[in-house]
Each structure stands twice: as C-alpha cells, then as structure tokens.
Amino acid sequence: MAGESARTRWAADALFAVALVVLIAAAYSPALKHAPRADQWAYLADTAQCHGFWPLLAESYSYNRTRVIGAGDTDLFRPLLFVLIASEKYLFGGDFRIVQGIGIGLHCCVCFLLLALLRRIGATGTPSTESDPRPDLLPYGVVAFFGLNPYVQELVIWHHLHGYLLFLVLLLGSVVCLLRHVATDGEPARRRWLCGAWVLALGSAFAYELGQVYAVLAGLLLAATAYPRAGRAAAARVLAAFVAILLIYQSANAIDRRVHEGRYDPDDGNRQAIREHALAPRTAMNAVHFGVYTAVQPFFPAAFRWTYSFDRFLVAEGVWYGAGMRTLGPVQVVSYGVFATAAGLAVVGLFRLVWSGGRVPVLTLLLATGLYGAYAAGNVLGRLNVRTSPPQLVVNSYYAYTGLLFVLMCLAAAWRGVSREWQWAAGARAGLLAGLTALSLAGAEHVREAGSGMALKVRDHAVPLRAVQEFVTQHRGEADFSFAIDYDASDPIPHQWNYPITELVFSRWSDWSAPKYRVVVRGEKVLTAPTRSSRANR
C-alpha cells in the first residue's frame, strides 16, 4: 500500500513537472529573442580578445578583479558564476536563443528542486512521507506560483545572471540532501546524502558568497540533529566539516586577491560606506523596502509595472507606492486572500512548532529564515544603503527571485506545524492552493507580455546579431573561416563601448586584414562576397 502511494505521488509529480515546463516555456518564449544588455556588454568588450577557451577562462573566473570597463565590487569572488558565463560565450557565441534557453532551463531546475524540498519539509518529523496516503497538492501551487511569478523574471531573462541560478540549483540540491540525511536511518545512505550536501554546498559558495553563510547554517543544523543521536563528538565533526567550506572559500579568495594584486583597486571606499551607514536610519527603512519588495509584492500581480531603462528590466515598487492597489479587482481580492491565508497558516504553524518542540522542523525553519536574513542584510547594507540613485530595488529587480524563494521556504517550514487532519486547516490549504494557482496564471500572462515588450525594446540589437549568427553557423566549420563587415554599406548597427556590437560578439571570427568573406548586414540577412584572396585561391 505504501509503495503504491509512493508511485502515485511520483507519477503526479512527474505530470506536474511536465505541465509546469510547458507553462514556463510558453510564458518565457519571447525572451528567446532578447539580446545582451547592461553589464554583459562590458564583459563582452573586456574579453573580446580572448578567442580560445583557456584564455577566456583565465580572464573570466575572477572577473570582478580583471574587469576594465565599469570596474567595481572587487571584494567579490564568484569563480563558478563567471566560469558559466565564459562557457556560454565560448560554446554558443552569438546564438543567444540557446543561452536564453539555458536560463529558462535553469529556472525549471530551481522549480523542480523547490518541489523536492517542499516534499522533504513536509516529511520532517514524521516516520515517512508514505504514512499519509492523501496527496498533498499545496506544493504544486507554491512551485507554480514561484515559477510563473512576474516579479522574478529578470534573473531568468538576463543571461548575464545565470550564475545566480546555478548557485540556487546547488544550494537547493544541498538542502534536499541535508534533509534526506537527517531522515535516513541506514548509515551508508546517511553518509552518501551528507557527502552530497557538502559537495553541493562547496559549489554554492564558489558561485555566490552567500553559499558560505549557508554552509555554516547547514553545519549548525546537522550538529543540532546529530548531538542527541550520536553525541557531542559527532556533532562537532559535522559542524567542522561544513565550517571548513567557509575557510576553503576564504583561502581561495585570499590567494586570488594576491594573484591579481595590482590589476584592481580594493573596495576600501565601499567597505567604509557600508560601515558608516550600517546603523543609520536608512538601514531600517531600506530593510522594510526590501521585505515588501521580495516577500509581499510578489503576491500582487495587479501591481506589476515594468519599464526598460539603464539597459535593464526595471520593476517598480508597486505595492509600496500603491500602484494598482487602489482598484479592488478580482485578482486583487485573490491576492489579499492568498497573502492573509499564507501568513495566518505560518503564524499558527510557528506557534505549534515552538510549542511541540519538533527539532528538525524548527531547525529547517531557522535555516530558511537565516538564508533570507543573510540575503536581505547583504543587499540592504551593500547595495541599498550605499547606492541611492537610481533606486537599487527597481534597477536590480532580480533580487526578488532569491528573496521570494527563501520566503516560500520559510512559509513551507512554518506550515509544517499545521496538521492536515484539522478540518479548518484542510479548508485553508485548499483555498490557498486555488488562490496560488489563479495568481500563477495571472503571473504567466504578465511574464509573456513583459518578455514580448522587452523583445521589442532590444530588437535593434537582436536583429543584426541573429543575422550574423546565422551566417557564422553556416560557415564556422570552415578551417580558414573569417569575415569582415562593411559597416558603411550595412544597415546601422548599434554600438556599445565605442564598438559595433557585432565586433564584440563575433570577435573570434572577425578579421580586417585578410578576411575570407566581406559581408553586408541588411535587415535580418547577411549578404556575402568572397574576398579577392579567396577567389584567387580557387
């Protein structure tokens, strides 16, 4: 009976995953027509001379310290993040449809791991997930709500940010392994899950510095669960193993600073500004802004307002300033109902968890809360406090992605304290599921509309890049392939950092001295003619 229930749950999860992929693909498909923007142009310009993979990797892995155009944030060391960006550039060149597709694929992976994590959270404190034969459908609503939320889309559609998605894949995978380790009885299996959690945590630290914080929090959780089961020595060993991730990262960071010494200006001024403003009144106000932007606003798709400026996808603080909040339409009614129900269940569940003293559910909630708190603190102190213009939340709307993800983890952990056997709770969960589903569909419409609007905004960049990429795809297999664009005879091509964008993207094959082809870009086509030297060689 238990095995049959597990198979049914797996089949339902697989069916949901397929449906979610279809919906995400439909909502995000306009993003396949997007072009590079903002910081991506600086990266392409700085690495235009790197034609081989290893030179590109050497110039990219510590890009915050090798960056020339728009240099800054040199305290940050994110090698895995930039290795991913370098790999995409080398493998796919100017085929940004594939690169954008990778972002959508990584977003789907985050959603699947979120579903797996919600399943594990729902199983904490019980002998097995199979003990309750009734299907728990609420995780489907939570994941769909996140996957189709319009406020998080910048992290998906701007391919310069793919490293953050990779970080979240590694982090969520580690958390799932960690909870599986805690719930497993057999020692060999427990060791495997623990090793998986450690390796993924190490990878997350080298993708984004928040991974260090997660490693320490994970070590504390594991030590707290190991102490009553295996004693003080075992708890100390597992804590030391995960704290070692912080030491490994910081050691690598110190070595890299020494390697690149003289190539960058240390962020002394930024660190001083962070210290000066940390205890200022603006910190509290910015923390409230951040909380509303990441934990409240995503529940209100009717307040969604976007524009394109500073070469970025800007999302207004609609809830804070009341945009779309004064008209009480059907979507707004659902939003208020969903938010109130989610918060109410979380409060009740929190009290129940504290009262019952369930160690693992409480520790899971503390882990999720610690992640959100650390993420909020880093952005409030390091961004919102020191960069006041333009508004950092609006310009960096992708903060909402990671913030909302951690909020949903906190809610799910708190909901664990509310028994599904309570009649009122079952009704509340059913209503919450229906509301989240409705908000997901409303959000998907906003995602598609915004993606289509962005495609029009960047069309002048995307069209010539697609045309040249098609030409490159046709000829890059030729051993002596190279080309030069006749810009005087071509349609106007946008410039970035004083270079035509086609030179930045396709520098590997651009040759002005002796090109095999001279081409003209007209609309969405490239007209070609062999050079004199290539005709003579025939």
Side-chain angles (χ1 to χ4, degrees):
M1 188 70 176
E4 182 179 350
S5 176
R7 286 193 296 271
T8 301
R9 189 175 292 114
W10 274 101
D13 287 352
L15 184 62
F16 168 77
V18 171
L20 183 64
V21 167
V22 171
L23 288 172
I24 289 177
Y28 278 98
S29 59
L32 299 177
K33 298 179 180 179
H34 293 185
R37 49 191 172 89
D39 289 348
Q40 186 73 8
W41 290 120
Y43 174 75
L44 292 171
D46 282 338
T47 58
Q49 78 285 359
C50 302
H51 298 160
F53 178 69
W54 296 113
L56 177 62
L57 192 64
E59 199 67 17
S60 300
Y61 83 91
S62 185
Y63 182 60
N64 289 97
R65 290 164 186 160
T66 61
R67 182 171 179 170
V68 176
I69 299 175
D73 288 337
T74 56
D75 269 345
L76 305 180
F77 181 54
R78 302 166 175 174
L80 273 187
L81 184 151
F82 287 110
V83 165
L84 176 60
I85 293 175
S87 300
E88 289 177 342
K89 176 184 175 180
Y90 182 78
L91 293 173
F92 307 115
D95 198 342
F96 296 110
R97 292 170 298 184
I98 295 178
V99 179
Q100 291 291 95
I102 290 173
I104 298 171
L106 286 170
H107 177 52
C108 290
C109 289
V110 171
C111 292
F112 299 154
L113 286 167
L114 176 60
L115 177 61
L117 178 57
L118 296 180
R119 291 292 188 210
R120 294 313 312 166
I121 290 175
T124 55
T126 64
S128 169
T129 56
E130 299 168 2
S131 61
D132 190 344
R134 297 173 303 169
D136 186 9
L137 303 180
L138 185 56
Y140 297 149
V142 174
V143 174
F145 170 73
F146 175 76
L148 297 168
N149 197 288
Y151 292 99
V152 308
Q153 63 185 297
E154 174 71 318
L155 199 64
V156 183
I157 64 176
W158 186 11
H159 60 259
H160 191 60
L161 305 178
H162 284 178
Y164 294 115
L165 292 173
L166 175 62
F167 157 74
L168 291 171
V169 167
L170 295 169
L171 183 142
L172 291 177
S174 179
V175 178
V176 171
C177 290
L178 184 150
L179 294 180
R180 290 298 296 263
H181 163 79
V182 171
T184 301
D185 291 325
E187 196 56 37
R190 283 173 56 83
R191 282 197 297 268
R192 287 195 295 270
W193 288 118
L194 184 61
C195 289
W198 191 90
V199 170
L200 292 172
L202 178 67
S204 73
F206 280 87
Y208 180 47
E209 55 275 5
L210 183 61
Q212 304 171 87
V213 179
Y214 163 69
V216 174
L217 293 174
L220 291 171
L221 184 150
L222 288 168
T225 57
Y227 178 72
R229 179 173 185 165
R232 183 179 301 174
R237 284 195 298 270
V238 73
L239 175 60
F242 277 80
V243 171
I245 291 175
L246 182 150
L247 301 178
I248 292 170
Y249 172 84
Q250 289 297 338
S251 298
N253 187 20
I255 293 171
D256 185 74
R257 279 200 298 265
R258 181 65 61 86
V259 168
H260 291 98
E261 192 172 7
R263 290 196 61 180
Y264 68 95
D265 292 326
D267 274 349
D268 291 329
N270 195 48
R271 289 198 294 269
Q272 182 180 352
I274 290 173
R275 288 192 295 268
E276 289 177 353
H277 300 305
L279 299 179
R282 73 171 65 174
T283 298
M285 180 58 67
N286 285 333
V288 175
H289 274 269
F290 187 87
V292 172
Y293 196 81
T294 58
V296 178
Q297 182 162 282
F299 288 88
F300 293 87
F304 180 70
R305 301 289 187 275
W306 74 276
T307 188
Y308 182 64
S309 186
F310 304 104
D311 221 11
R312 297 193 181 203
F313 180 78
L314 276 57
V315 178
E317 295 184 70
V319 169
W320 184 270
Y321 293 107
M325 301 293 289
R326 297 179 178 85
T327 303
L328 199 62
V331 176
Q332 284 292 73
V333 171
V334 173
S335 293
Y336 281 112
V338 166
F339 186 79
T341 304
L345 285 174
V347 171
V348 174
L350 178 61
F351 277 107
R352 286 280 301 174
L353 287 177
V354 174
W355 181 262
S356 65
R359 181 180 294 266
V360 175
V362 170
L363 291 173
T364 305
L365 175 59
L366 290 175
L367 173 66
T369 305
L371 285 172
Y372 180 80
Y375 183 69
N379 284 299
V380 169
L381 297 175
R383 282 291 185 268
L384 275 63
N385 275 4
V386 300
R387 299 181 183 180
T388 57
S389 181
Q392 290 301 294
L393 283 176
V394 175
V395 173
N396 298 306
S397 62
Y398 61 88
Y399 292 168
Y401 189 105
T402 305
L404 177 61
L405 180 64
F406 291 157
V407 165
L408 294 177
M409 289 169 57
C410 292
L411 289 174
W415 295 341
R416 182 65 189 84
V418 181
S419 174
R420 293 168 57 195
E421 296 179 357
W422 298 344
Q423 187 173 358
W424 71 267
R429 290 171 68 92
L432 185 58
L433 172 62
L436 288 171
T437 303
L439 294 183
S440 301
L441 297 176
E445 183 180 355
H446 285 299
V447 170
R448 185 169 180 84
E449 179 273 331
S452 299
M454 279 288 294
L456 292 176
K457 296 287 187 182
V458 300
R459 190 176 186 276
D460 62 330
H461 286 63
V463 168
L465 292 177
R466 281 199 298 268
V468 177
Q469 176 59 38
E470 185 176 347
F471 170 73
V472 169
T473 301
Q474 293 172 353
H475 296 277
R476 65 183 299 175
E478 301 170 10
D480 57 345
F481 172 59
S482 64
F483 69 93
I485 298 175
D486 185 344
Y487 290 101
D488 291 333
S490 298
D491 290 343
I493 292 178
H495 284 56
Q496 291 285 345
W497 303 110
N498 299 319
Y499 290 96
I501 60 173
T502 44
E503 295 299 316
L504 298 181
V505 174
F506 303 103
S507 59
R508 194 190 317 178
W509 301 282
S510 180
D511 183 356
W512 286 89
S513 59
K516 182 174 183 179
Y517 297 96
R518 292 197 181 276
V519 301
V520 174
V521 181
R522 298 280 176 79
E524 299 187 14
K525 295 183 178 181
V526 170
L527 307 179
T528 66
T531 62
R532 294 178 183 176
S533 59
S534 62
R535 286 199 299 265
N537 291 335
R538 294 179 185 174

